[in-house]
Every structure is written in structure tokens, then in C-alpha cells.
Amino acid sequence: MESRNDGREALVVGVSMTAFARHEDRAVEELGEEAARAALADAGIDAADVEVAFCGHVFQGITAGQRALSRAGIAGAPVINVENACASGSTAFHQAVAAVRGGSAKIALALGLEKMGRGAIPADPGDVRLSARAGVPLMPGMFAEVFRAHSRRYGTTLEQIAMVSVKNRSHAVANPRAHFRAPITVEDVLRARPVADPLTVLMCCPTSSGAAAAVVVSADVARQRCKPIAVAASVLCSDRPGPGDDPLYMIVDINTRAAARAYQQAGIGPDDLDVIELHDCFAIAEVIHYENLGLCPRGEGGKFAAAGASRIGGKVAVSTSGGLLSKGHPLGATGVAQVVEVVEQLRGESGARQVANARVGLTHCQGFGGAAAVHVLTV
Amino acid sequence: MESRNDGREALVVGVSMTAFARHEDRAVEELGEEAARAALADAGIDAADVEVAFCGHVFQGITAGQRALSRAGIAGAPVINVENACASGSTAFHQAVAAVRGGSAKIALALGLEKMGRGAIPADPGDVRLSARAGVPLMPGMFAEVFRAHSRRYGTTLEQIAMVSVKNRSHAVANPRAHFRAPITVEDVLRARPVADPLTVLMCCPTSSGAAAAVVVSADVARQRCKPIAVAASVLCSDRPGPGDDPLYMIVDINTRAAARAYQQAGIGPDDLDVIELHDCFAIAEVIHYENLGLCPRGEGGKFAAAGASRIGGKVAVSTSGGLLSKGHPLGATGVAQVVEVVEQLRGESGARQVANARVGLTHCQGFGGAAAVHVLTV
């Protein structure tokens, strides 16, 4: 299984990301170059020493990784573009870790990038099992159905998921790279423009562009660097053809499996986590991922959010960057940007949104149709 | 460097491919399923035992690998879609080999698939450094310029490259999976419909669809299988930003580097090769790749072809499948299909086009803008 971790240790020694924003005036190659150069500078590693690079993206066309990375001075060494829907960036990071663990490289780079346009999401993102209703945007429509199912089964309320949006925005206030940073209230969220009944626009992630990069190295290379962060687990699962009539199945099963394998690989449990970046593409998704990651019992994600357990200073700090909801969600960049946030938290470099004594972090991404990736990072 | 091969041994124990054809009535998922199922059956391996799968494609949309492989019974284990232009299939195979060498999987699957439509090639395939002339299709226009440069510098003639088209078609006659199988003459090639002066349609690969799959396993798994074929070298290089004013640079430099590293990794030289599948997207490309692979001195590729050195029964059998020129070139499928052909040759299963006593084979693919992959396979 992919949980086998009898390979070499892999550590993150450099991270960086662009601001997430519309970036209407910048080419995606330029965003990728900026993130890659800054991550290498953070690592103190020369571009010429990168032995393999993986680039996660969804919509950026042929050899987007080469276009960005050749500008950053990476040429000659293999560049591999990877795609796994919204988990594309996580897949790039997973592959960089695999290259170092497997010994084919001592220095690997993971880059994620995406320039999103309005309407960039296609009508049918692969093997999606929930049908969209006429006139409702596909993904919001799917998650409206997910919310209704979770609400019916467990009593989750709109107010509870609105509190997730408010919490993530409160974290984004302190993150200069987040797309949306103005504080909001539960009332703001509930009264915002409806997108797919009953979800409002503030319960849905925005359309953002950006890039993020991480440098993954072997233990001998890491010893010469400041503050290396160890990759204790790197798990990628794909979707199993499942029952199509349960809207919760697709958001529960694959993520729960990926988390269980990651905990096993890292030798930790949910109670050991200090900081988490998860796939809060919609506020209801964050609530269900609390349950999938074992932060609270099944069905109690809404209460977990409402109790403030997932804010900075709570039981475990979730979406400290602002999450997809407020930092933004440039598809291919997201998974790597999650690693950037958690690495900075574990280094103690997160400024006003720093989680005190953060020593163990987790990232989680889901690409519908599909893949789920979970990484555990430790000081 | 990526040439480091201190990992475990990787062997190919199952291969299969669909026929290459227009396939206008078949979904790409169906083609991928067919190839994957047949490769697993060839290996005697159950889909549930595949630990990781890589899917190479260019134009098939989000999570195409999952869509095809879940139909073939691969679900749960990680599926990773990879893209490197025309080297996408080779990249999938390279990654499957890397997973086994690195120890993260004992059983890996490489799938390549592509459903090509008319006009599927975009106007700007990445960082292409030759400018197209108005009214001339981009890639044929580029290779017309490449032909003129090679002809000016080395005296290569249209008749010589026409002989490549004739040779590859003569091989395809005996390959039931090839797209075009009717024998042709040099006169046919020279008098065929002009595409980009002076190239005729029979000097250009056709627009084909199809899929191919290969099962890569560790030594302990291979011991229980029939006729395992060892992967002696697996090299992937990316393009270096280079001088834009030399039309030969982009078709010489990266491929020569990739071949040199592959020979070093395998501990062999060009004289050891019995069978080769190379990236003959255009007849002039095959001639230049003879030189890049060291089969003949630089500039003598045209003479090498004209002397019959590259046909079955010649010095080294090149494009025994019919090559991209006659078998077809479904972008993401091509690199894996090359592995299928060479593995079958090394097993002695190639029927009327069998190369006598074939013991060492090579595959070569180039994705413009860019990547080049070279694999060496041995009995």
C-alpha cells in the first residue's frame, strides 16, 4: 500500500507562495516563477541543484511546469506535470516526497500553480456522482445537497457552517497573502448573496489565482539547513466507484481512508495535531472534514465549529491561513500552499496568526473524481 | 541526477495496447480500461493488487486516469495523472518505474491514453521556439524547417526521409494494431498531399486515438511471472531555455542528453541495441534521432536510413511497430505503446515483424517544450 514508509526520511526546508488574488494582469508562469524562486531562496538551495520537480495544475495547458520552472532556472532535470483535480498541488508534493523517500533525488521541488478565470470550472469535473440542478452552479449545487444531507442526518445548522466562514476569515485577517481579509460576522454570511440554496457566497471559496512551492530534501541535505520540517506521512488515495445515491459518501469515504492511513504512517492520532489546513472549499466541507479527520465524533462537526474548538487558541487550529474560503483556492496551488502554511506555523513564523507551540501539523486536500491526499508534518 | 539508479530493480511483466485508430465511436475511458485490463491479465496480476497507477495524457480532461482505471477495477490506490506533452506516456512509465525502484510500490501500472480529434493540437504547444509560418500547420511547419536546416547542414534529402516512411510502413504491415498498414513506395511518399513544404502527409504521423498499459513490478514479484523484462535505464530530462535561432537545437540537445544518461545508467552503448522505438513524429525526426541516439555519426542519419540499416534485419531495427508514422500517435498513449512493442520484441512475441535474438531494446519520446524520456529494456 502507499502507506508503506520504509524509505528515506524527507524534510521540507523551503516554502513560499504568492499572494492569492485575481492576478488578472500576471501570467501563470510568472506566478510560478515567483513561488519557486522564493522557496529555493528560503531553502538556500540553488535552482541548478534541484534534481526533479513536480508541477500541479489543472487548467494551465501543456507543460505549464516547464514554462514556469525554466524561468526560475530549473532546466535539464526532469519536470513532471501532475493533475488530480483540486488535489493536484498535494499530488505534486506527494510525488516530491516520494522521490526523496525513494532515493531517486536528494532535492525535489513541488510547485502548484493556477490562473483561474471566471467560469474556469468545467460543467463536468470528471466522475462526479451528484447531479447538478438546472440553473445552479455545479460545485455549489453539490455542496448544497451535501449540507442538506448532513443537516437531515445530524442536525447541522446553517449558523454552524456560517461560523466556519467567520472563523476562517478571522484567521485571514492576519494573513497578507489571503484573497479576502475584511472581518465578517455570522449575520454577514447568512445574508450574503445566495449561490446555491441554502449556501451563500460567503460559504463558498472564491475564484483565486496564485502559486506555491516547497523544497523537499533528504536528511543529509536537511542537516545543513535551518528549521527543517519532517514529512511524517504522505498519503494519496483514489476514489472507489461507490454508491451514487448517498451525497455524503463522496465527501466522507475517501477522506476518512486517507486520514486513517496518514495517522498510521505517522504513528500519531488526531489528538496530537496542533495545526491543520484542510479542504474547506465550502463551509460544510470543513465541518465534515473535522469528522473525517477524527477531530470529533461523526455528526458532531457542526457543534465542534460552534464551540470554537477549531479556531486559533481552540482545541486544534484549523485553516489558520484563512483556508480555501478566505485565502482562496487556485486549484493546483492549493495543496502546496497548505504545506507552506503548516511549515511556517511549525517554524513559528506565522506572526499574528501563530499557533502557540505548534509541533505537529496536517494538510488535507480532496480532488473530486478523484483523489484525497493527507500529509503530516512535524518539527 | 535522475540517472542515479541505486534503487531496487524494476521489471515489466505485463503489457497491452488497443489498436491505434480514429476510434470515433469509443470513449477514451473505454480505451484505457481495455489496455489496463489486458496488461494486468498479461501479467497475471489482479487489479486490486496494483499499489499505484500513473496515467499519461494531454487533452483528456480532469482525472482521466481515475475514470479509466476505476472501470478496470483499480480504486483506492493512488492514481496520478501526468502530462509532459508528447512524452506524457513515457513520463507515466518513468514514474511507475520510479515507484518500484524507490520501494513505495511493488506493483505499479503505467497507462497512456488519448482520444484525438481533428484540430486537437493547440496553436501554441507550450514554449515552442520555432515560429510557424502563416497558413502552415504548426508542427509540420516546424519540422519542415528542421528538415531544411538538416538538409542544408548535412545534405539530407527528401528521398532519404521518404525511405523512413516506407520502412516504418513496411513494419506496420505486420502489426495488426497499427493505424495504417497498406504498403507504400518512396514515390508514393514524395507524391502524397503536401502538408508543409516540402513535407508530404506520408512524412507526418497521423491523428490517432488509443491506449496502452504496462505493469511494472519489483524483483520478488517478477520471479513468479513469465518472461519479465528488466528496466535497465529510465531517464527523463526537461528542456533548457536555449538559443531560439537554431531549428536543430530543440530536436538535438535534449534527446542527446537523455540518451547519454540512459546509456550510462544501463551500462550499455548504442551498438548493444537490437530494437528501438523512437519519436518519429515526422520522418526527418527519425533521421535526427538516429544521430541523437548515437546509432550513426552526426549528420549521417539520412544515409543510415537509405542504407537500410534501421529496418528489421538491418544493423538495428527501428520503429518495428510502424512507429508514430504508421502505427499512429495518440499523444499520451505513445510512450507506453513503445514499451509494449519493445517488451513483446524482447519476449519474442512479435510474429512476422520479430527481430531475431532481440535482447536489448530502447524507447525514446520527446515532448516539445518540453521533456525527453529514454528507457532501456533488457531480457
Side-chain angles (χ1 to χ4, degrees), chain A residues 1 4 51 54 62-63 66 75-85 95 102-103 236-241 257 369-370, chain B residues 1 4 51 54 62-63 66 75-85 95 102-103 236-241 257 369-370:
Chain A
M1 299 306 298
R4 184 186 300 143
E51 293 173 295
F54 297 89
I62 300 178
T63 62
Q66 281 87 337
V79 173
I80 297 156
N81 297 278
V82 300
E83 182 272 320
N84 259 341
Q95 289 299 101
L236 180 65
C237 293
S238 69
D239 233 341
R240 182 173 8 215
R257 281 190 284 124
Chain B
M1 298 308 298
R4 185 184 300 144
E51 294 173 294
F54 297 88
I62 299 178
T63 62
Q66 281 88 336
V79 174
I80 296 157
N81 297 278
V82 300
E83 182 273 319
N84 259 340
Q95 289 301 101
L236 179 65
C237 294
S238 70
D239 233 340
R240 182 172 8 214
R257 280 190 286 124

Side-chain angles (χ1 to χ4, degrees), chain B:
Chain B
M1 298 308 298
E2 82 281 8
S3 294
R4 185 184 300 144
N5 180 17
D6 53 4
R8 300 157 181 83
E9 195 183 8
L11 302 101
V12 183
V13 294
V15 291
S16 190
M17 61 183 282
T18 68
F20 283 3
R22 283 273 179 196
H23 288 307
E24 277 166 9
D25 56 337
R26 298 185 70 189
V28 72
E29 294 84 353
E30 190 188 328
L31 297 169
E33 177 190 2
E34 178 187 324
R37 281 191 186 277
L40 288 167
D42 184 45
I45 284 176
D46 196 82
D49 293 327
V50 172
E51 294 173 294
V52 64
F54 297 88
C55 177
H57 71 89
V58 181
F59 293 119
Q60 307 310 308
I62 299 178
T63 62
Q66 281 88 336
R67 282 183 273 134
L69 290 168
S70 63
R71 294 167 60 122
I74 294 176
V79 174
I80 296 157
N81 297 278
V82 300
E83 182 273 319
N84 259 340
C86 294
S88 296
S90 302
T91 300
F93 183 70
H94 175 76
Q95 289 301 101
V97 171
V100 171
R101 282 183 173 178
S104 68
K106 285 174 176 290
I107 301 177
L109 183 92
L111 175 67
L113 50 80
E114 205 82 42
K115 177 97 182 260
M116 300 285 285
R118 289 178 195 274
I121 306 287
D124 176 15
D127 182 22
V128 174
R129 293 186 193 89
L130 295 180
S131 57
R133 289 177 303 162
V136 176
L138 181 73
M139 297 302 286
M142 280 171 49
F143 277 90
E145 200 176 327
V146 165
F147 169 76
R148 282 189 292 270
H150 202 263
S151 183
R152 264 196 312 273
R153 198 172 302 177
Y154 303 114
T156 304
T157 67
L158 268 184
E159 287 71 18
Q160 287 171 340
I161 71 165
M163 291 175 81
V164 170
S165 297
V166 171
K167 166 187 72 76
N168 292 2
R169 181 62 63 87
S170 77
H171 295 167
V173 167
N175 183 1
R177 297 168 306 200
H179 196 163
F180 291 97
R181 300 181 59 202
I184 52 175
T185 65
V186 167
E187 194 160 64
D188 291 334
V189 177
L190 295 173
R191 291 189 181 176
R193 176 168 63 82
V195 172
D197 179 54
L199 306 187
T200 70
V201 69
L202 291 176
M203 298 168 181
C204 310
C205 66
T207 300
S208 312
S209 300
V215 181
V216 184
V217 303
S218 58
D220 54 326
V221 175
R223 265 191 291 277
Q224 307 149 26
R225 312 289 154 188
C226 295
K227 302 187 194 169
I229 300 298
V231 182
S234 177
V235 170
L236 179 65
C237 294
S238 70
D239 233 340
R240 182 172 8 214
D245 48 359
D246 178 359
L248 292 181
Y249 174 84
M250 63 156 216
I251 189 134
V252 169
D253 177 75
I254 187 172
N255 299 304
T256 304
R257 280 190 286 124
R261 291 188 194 171
Y263 289 138
Q264 182 183 27
Q265 192 177 105
I268 66 157
D271 288 344
D272 297 310
L273 295 170
D274 300 307
V275 57
I276 295 172
E277 291 283 298
L278 52 69
H279 201 77
D280 60 320
C281 49
F282 295 87
I284 180 61
E286 174 157 328
V287 161
I288 297 175
H289 294 322
Y290 296 154
E291 304 168 12
N292 297 335
L293 297 177
L295 306 183
C296 64
R298 182 68 61 194
E300 297 188 12
K303 291 177 200 153
F304 192 78
S310 54
R311 68 183 172 213
I312 296 172
K315 183 183 174 198
V316 54
V318 180
S319 304
T320 57
S321 68
L324 282 60
L325 285 169
S326 281
K327 184 181 53 180
H329 180 28
L331 311 186
T334 287
V336 186
Q338 292 182 327
V339 171
V340 175
E341 176 70 14
V342 169
V343 164
E344 290 180 352
Q345 287 282 357
L346 298 181
R347 286 174 173 178
E349 295 174 350
S350 295
R353 66 185 193 286
Q354 179 65 46
V355 175
N357 304 314
R359 303 189 59 80
V360 183
L362 179 147
T363 68
H364 159 264
C365 242
Q366 178 174 16
F368 287 99
V374 174
H375 287 90
V376 176
L377 302 166
T378 59
V379 171

Side-chain angles (χ1 to χ4, degrees), chain A residues 269-292:
Chain A
D271 289 345
D272 297 310
L273 296 170
D274 301 307
V275 57
I276 294 171
E277 291 282 299
L278 52 69
H279 202 78
D280 60 321
C281 49
F282 295 87
I284 180 61
E286 174 157 328
V287 160
I288 298 174
H289 294 321
Y290 296 153
E291 305 168 10
N292 296 335

Side-chain angles (χ1 to χ4, degrees), chain A residues 127-131 142 145-154 239-254 288 298 366 368:
Chain A
D127 182 21
V128 174
R129 292 186 195 89
L130 295 180
S131 56
M142 280 173 48
E145 199 175 327
V146 166
F147 169 76
R148 282 189 292 269
H150 202 263
S151 183
R152 263 196 313 273
R153 198 171 302 176
Y154 304 113
D239 233 341
R240 182 173 8 215
D245 48 358
D246 178 359
L248 292 181
Y249 174 84
M250 63 156 217
I251 189 133
V252 168
D253 177 75
I254 187 172
I288 298 174
R298 182 68 61 195
Q366 178 174 15
F368 286 99

Side-chain angles (χ1 to χ4, degrees), chain A residues 87-213:
Chain A
S88 295
S90 302
T91 299
F93 183 70
H94 176 75
Q95 289 299 101
V97 170
V100 171
R101 282 183 173 177
S104 68
K106 286 174 175 290
I107 301 177
L109 182 92
L111 174 67
L113 49 81
E114 206 80 43
K115 177 97 182 261
M116 300 285 284
R118 288 177 196 275
I121 305 287
D124 176 14
D127 182 21
V128 174
R129 292 186 195 89
L130 295 180
S131 56
R133 289 177 304 163
V136 176
L138 181 72
M139 298 300 287
M142 280 173 48
F143 277 89
E145 199 175 327
V146 166
F147 169 76
R148 282 189 292 269
H150 202 263
S151 183
R152 263 196 313 273
R153 198 171 302 176
Y154 304 113
T156 303
T157 68
L158 268 184
E159 287 71 19
Q160 286 171 340
I161 70 166
M163 291 176 80
V164 170
S165 297
V166 170
K167 167 188 72 75
N168 292 2
R169 182 61 64 87
S170 76
H171 295 167
V173 168
N175 184 1
R177 297 168 306 201
H179 196 163
F180 291 98
R181 301 181 58 201
I184 52 176
T185 66
V186 167
E187 193 161 65
D188 291 335
V189 177
L190 294 173
R191 291 189 182 174
R193 175 169 63 83
V195 171
D197 180 53
L199 306 187
T200 70
V201 68
L202 291 176
M203 297 168 180
C204 309
C205 66
T207 300
S208 312
S209 300

